[in-house]
Structure formats: C-alpha cells, structure tokens
Amino acid sequence: MTEADDVENKKESKEKTPQTEEDYGGTDLSSATVQLKDITIYPDRRLTAYDRGPVKAYAAKSRNGHDCFVLLCEKEFVPRTATVGKLGNIINPDLMKPIGYGTFFWPPDQSFRLGFIYERNVGAPLMKAGDEMALGLKQEVVMNAVIKPLVNVFLDMWDSELVHGCVNPFNMYKKEGAKLEGVYLGDCLSLPFSYAQPALFEPAPRAMADPIGRGYISFENDLYAFGATLAVLLRSHDHMKDFNEREIVKHKLEFGSYTTLIGKDHFTGAILELLRGLLQDDRRQRWGIEEVLTWMDGRRLSPKQGTSVLKRAARPIKFKKKNYLRPDLLAVDLTDDVEESGRLIESDELNQWLIRSVDDKDAAKALEGAIEKANETGKGIGYLEKLVCCASTALAPGLSLQYKGHCLLPEGVGAAMAKAIARKENMTPFVELFTKGILSYWLNINVDEVSNAPTLFTRFNDCRDTLKDRAPGRGLERCVYILSAEAPCMSEMLDKYYVQSPEDLILAYEDMAQREMRLPFFFDRHIIAFLAVRDYKVIGPHFIDLNSKDKYRVLTATLRIFSNIQKRSNVGKLPGLSSWLADEMKPLSEHFHDQELKKKIKKKLVKLGEGGDLSKILDLLDNVSTIETDNMGFRFAMEEYQRLRTEAHRLQASLEKGKGFGKEAGREISAIVSGLIAAVVILAFTLIYFSQDKIF
C-alpha cells in the first residue's frame, strides 16, 4: 500500500463517517434521537464503515460533545455482555473499549435493543469487504504500526484472562494521519466469538464450523488470527481469492496454515520466524504470548516439538469419484452424501483402507467405535446421519462435528440454538445431538484437547435429562439457557424486548402495561425455562402452581414471583405492572367468603394497583391471618347452616306422618293449660273466701 493509498482511504473514511451535524447536511437530529444515559444516538445516521457483519453502526454523541457510534446488537447473535467489565478495566490506547452499553428503545423497529457505544476517534478499517486479501506492506511498517501496538494489547488481555475473538484486518482501524502509523483493535463484544471472523483467520477445526457454532476460543486462537493477519498485510499475492471457505479448510489441512497463507511469497529475517511460530497448526507447537515477547526482545527461539504426525495412504480411497489419501480430508466431505458414505463405512472398505493403506490401526479402532455408537439407537430414522457424523469424528478428531446440515463445535451449540430459535428453524437436529449422545461422543474422542470438557459433559447431561421432561421449565427451551449463559430470553411474548435478567423481565412487563399492550398470560415455556436457569430460587418453588389449571393458583404464583423480584432489586415502583396485576387479581377476591371482606379487598386492590408495590398486593391477597379468619367464620357459618338443615329435616319428617300430626301434642298442651286455668280459678276463690271470713 502506498502513501497515496493511505490518503485516499482516509478521505473515503471521512466521507463515510461524518463527524459533525454539518456533515449530515444541517439536519435537525433532535427529532429522531435515542438516549442511553448521557449518550445521544441518531437512528437515521448509518455509519457503514464501523459495521460488524449483521451488527450495524449508527452515529452517536456524548454529553461532552465527543463523536461516538453505537453497534446495535441482534438478539439472534448472542453478544458477550459478561466481558464488558473486564474489558473496561484494561487501560490500553490501541484497544477499542465501549464507553457505555445497555438497552434502549429503537424507533425504527419499535423494539428495545442492546447496543455498545464506542468513541469515534478512529479512521478507516485496514481492509474493507471486497478488498484483495494481500496488501504488500513493508515489514518495518507492519512492525511499528501493527505488531508492536497489538502485542501490548494481547499482553494486557492475557493478564486480564480475556480473549478477543475477532482479530483480523477488517476489525482493525487506522489511527489519524496520512500514513499507516498505528492501529486500533476493534469491537469484540457485539457478536459471539469468531462469528465475523473469515475462515482464513481461523485454525482448520474452527474454520470448518459454521460461524455461529465455533464457540469459545482460547488465547492461542487470537495469536493464530494475529499471525494470519500479518501474513495478509505482508503478502503481495492472494492466491486463494477464488477459494470458498470449505476449500480454504481443506487446503489448510493438506498443506498447513503457513503455506496456505503465505503462498508464493517469500519472507526473510525475523518476521519469518514469527509467522511460522504463530501459524503452527499443532496447538502444542504454536507460539504463546511468552514466545512472542521473547521474539520482540530479539532473541531466537527453538521450535516447539509437536506430537501429531499426519499420515498419508499408500493408495487412495475413492468417494464420489474423488481420490483421498488423507482420512481428515475424507472426513470433511463425508456428509456431502450420507447414502454413499454409509455404504463406504458399512462395507468395511473404509476400515480396511485405514489398516492396510494408511497403516493407522488406532483410526480403524476409532471407526469401529463410531459404528457401535451409531447402532446404539438402532437403524431407524436418522441412523445414517448419526453414523456418518460419528465416523467423520473418528477419522478426524478435533474437527467440527457435522450433523444434518449443521457444522459446529460443542462449545458453540448454545449460540447456534439461540439463532435457530430466533429464526424459527427446525430444532430436531439439536434435540438429537443430545438424545443420541453425539455431543458426548465427540467430547469423549477429544477430551484431552478441550480445556473445559468436564463442564461441557455436565451441561450436555443436564440437557439430555431435561429433554426427557416436557413440563414447562424443562425441555428444549431450557437447554438454550444452560448452554448459553449470555443468551437473552427468546420468548415470542418478549419479541420486542431484550431480557437478560429477572429484573429485565418485570421492567418489560411494566413497559407493556404503560403502552397498554397487556398479554393474556405472563409465562410461557421460554420464560419459565429462562428464570429456572437464571434464578431458580425465584421460580423453583412455584412450578406446580404455574402448571396448574386453577387460575387462582397460577395468578398467586405469578404475583409471588414478581413481588420477590421487585423486592430484592432496585427497579423501584412499578405502577403499570401493579395495576395490571391488580386487575388480574380481582377475580381472586371471590375466593373469600365474607361478602363485606370481598368488597373491601376489591376496593383496596384498585388503590394498591396505583401504588406500584407488588408486595402490598401480595400481602392483601395472600395474608395468612385474613385467610384463616375468613375460613374460620365460613366454617362456623357452615356448622350453623348444617344444624338448621337438620332441624328442618326433622320437622319435615314429622309433617309427613299423617293427619294426626300435632293432635296428641295439642291435647297435652290443652290439658296443661286447662289445669293451669283451673288452679288459678280455685286459688282466686280461696283467696276471696278467706278474705270475707276475716272481714266478718
């Protein structure tokens, strides 16, 4: 690249990334802005120079007037939000770090989106989409402008136990100035690991996987991508410009990464040693940060000793009219035709080729194990796909597993599932990866190569167990959140919201209430599964009630869950949600028996709904003392009612005895009354008689 090219690129960058309102043509931006804390975002001002694949960039401005840009995340591509804190603690002028991030309402699609804010103090990217992948820069320019600053960045990230995941010239930006005097390493948060990383900058096993299914990376992968970037900046010829990603992977497997990236170019001196060290395909031989620092100090290094030896067959094996001399190259293509692959594997031809021509008895034994694994679930639907997937893993351990159109590494399954759910794709292949033991089989084969294998085994077993239970809170939905700790809730009910925590959930419902967008219910399978994984304590005790057909139990459980979330968080009052819940709870007052109490509760619900405190509504409807008093009064009333009914039945029975009913009792009463009257008369006459005797 010449100095004139640098000037032209800088000019183009300025044209694509306006710096002031005047550059926008004097448009009044205040009418179409979004506020994130003290950052103002302009949704109608795209900045394509800072796009990151599907993540689009928009102009922004900080409160102090600094020009910024926001990277607007897509829900289907799970961003690395858990990394923000650690990245923010790194103090390095050559690493782009977000000055803010969060969710905000995005007017263009009327939804809440997650975004990362960066200062716009960088120039154009080193390379743009469509550029030839060979810049032909001088070694001293690359040394001063790229190697020195980025090695310091990698050292800081190493010390912070962080990996970047997207080191390539498309994600490096020039510093101000006509010449290439330095670079900034760009964003690594807005997309999953390596999603926007071209296959050329990944080791073969990761390059082979679908971008969404590459999973977590190691620090070694960042250094490999750094070596691939240096090769592209230094080389003068792009001999692979017409290769697709599958062909790049096979070329790396057959000829090695160094030859694939360098091609016909020749380098001499210290840079050659650096490139060879960083582009080693055997991770045991690949340079780490210590070797790079030693090289920077000018000391020569002895090459590391590798342990793997790639074997070639004495004679080829034919598959789909092509000849193969290497088992790993055959493994890459096996899934192109599962019928033909199945015939090749089951006919024993492949096994004999491994023993006799490749002279690899270990590979033959591994193939036999793959066949046994495939037969565990019988030769029903999907048998051939499982057989071919296991066989390709046995032939080329470490390469991505290929199954029913998906090519991924086990650590990337969670992100791949989140994307598939967001796009409403067929989820059956993912279910079968667990239920048929394919993921566990891959891990068993590669257990020594995967640093977090025990954790993955546990998670895969959890997923397999939860798939056996179709109850809400279990099933496929739960697997997504088990495998992807940063995935937002994928419920269709929350399609317009970005929910990453229980607090986000109740805030989403609060916003729905304020916008009068009330839903018929609060929980679906995804929301229950999301809370079960993110915060089991808040929802675990209420699974049975949430799954009940009794609306009273469901609503009471809902109120308890939301009340607990509000109580322990700092979300403040929720007048919209509390009013919504109060309205939903009005029928619950019918569960009380005292009519006066019912009226009081209904009246209180209206008042409490306006207050925004869910716990007060819960105390009103779920008060033990009130419920016991009401139940006791109802019990007494029932007992009195029963007594009166018994008396009524007795009287009714007496009435049904006949016409003489009451006569006998009447006679007895008449006799008594007559006797009383006679006694009174006699007593009266006696008193009169004696009174006259005394007078006379």
Side-chain angles (χ1 to χ4, degrees), residues 149-417:
L150 291 192
V151 167
N152 287 327
V153 169
F154 292 135
L155 181 59
D156 286 340
M157 296 194 78
W158 170 265
D159 291 337
S160 299
E161 298 181 342
L162 285 176
V163 290
H164 191 277
C166 195
V167 179
N168 62 64
F170 303 100
N171 196 31
M172 295 178 186
Y173 300 87
K174 301 173 187 177
K175 292 188 175 180
E176 295 295 336
K179 296 181 179 180
L180 180 59
E181 297 178 345
V183 295
Y184 297 99
L185 183 57
D187 165 74
C188 66
L189 302 174
S190 61
L191 286 168
F193 286 103
S194 302
Y195 182 81
Q197 188 86 310
L200 191 65
F201 300 91
E202 291 279 2
R206 293 179 60 79
M208 178 179 168
D210 302 332
I212 194 64
R214 289 171 178 165
Y216 302 115
I217 71 169
S218 66
F219 195 75
E220 297 166 338
N221 297 131
D222 270 350
L223 293 181
Y224 177 96
F226 180 46
T229 298
L230 296 179
V232 168
L233 297 180
L234 290 165
R235 69 186 188 180
S236 301
H237 306 91
D238 183 6
H239 64 288
M240 303 190 73
K241 60 183 177 182
D242 296 323
F243 283 35
N244 60 34
E245 294 202 341
R246 170 74 71 87
E247 291 169 335
I248 291 173
V249 170
K250 294 173 72 173
H251 202 279
K252 286 187 175 186
L253 290 173
E254 187 168 7
F255 301 104
S257 293
Y258 179 82
T259 301
T260 299
L261 282 151
I262 301 305
K264 297 180 180 179
D265 284 89
H266 297 282
F267 301 110
T268 58
I271 198 71
L272 177 62
E273 187 181 17
L274 177 65
L275 291 174
R276 286 191 180 279
L278 293 175
L279 295 176
Q280 285 286 348
D281 290 302
D282 187 341
R283 67 180 186 84
R284 296 177 181 83
Q285 297 183 66
R286 193 178 303 150
W287 280 12
I289 190 65
E290 295 89 350
E291 287 78 16
V292 174
L293 292 173
T294 301
W295 177 85
M296 293 280 288
D297 290 338
R299 288 179 284 172
R300 295 188 64 82
L301 297 168
S302 299
K304 293 184 178 181
Q305 297 301 313
T307 57
S308 60
V309 177
L310 299 176
K311 295 185 177 182
R312 297 175 66 88
R315 63 176 180 81
I317 189 172
K318 183 167 287 187
F319 175 69
K320 293 193 69 177
K321 299 180 180 181
K322 292 181 181 180
N323 291 327
Y324 294 85
L325 291 169
R326 291 259 301 275
D328 53 349
L329 296 176
L330 174 62
V332 173
D333 291 340
L334 276 180
T335 54
D336 290 347
D337 188 336
V338 293
E339 295 286 343
E340 177 65 18
S341 296
R343 184 201 64 76
L344 184 67
I345 296 166
E346 293 187 318
S347 67
D348 204 41
E349 179 183 352
L350 180 57
N351 186 278
Q352 292 302 313
W353 177 70
L354 291 171
I355 295 173
R356 297 175 181 177
S357 296
V358 183
D359 190 23
D360 193 340
K361 293 182 180 180
D362 290 337
K365 185 177 180 180
L367 181 63
E368 292 175 2
I371 296 172
E372 290 178 7
K373 182 66 180 179
N375 280 284
E376 283 181 354
T377 50
K379 294 188 177 183
I381 297 174
Y383 164 74
L384 281 179
E385 287 86 351
K386 181 179 179 181
L387 175 66
V388 173
C389 178
C390 292
S392 63
T393 298
L395 292 175
L399 290 186
S400 307
L401 62 84
Q402 303 178 79
Y403 186 72
K404 290 190 174 182
H406 296 278
C407 186
L408 41 79
L409 291 167
E411 293 169 313
V413 174
M417 290 178 70

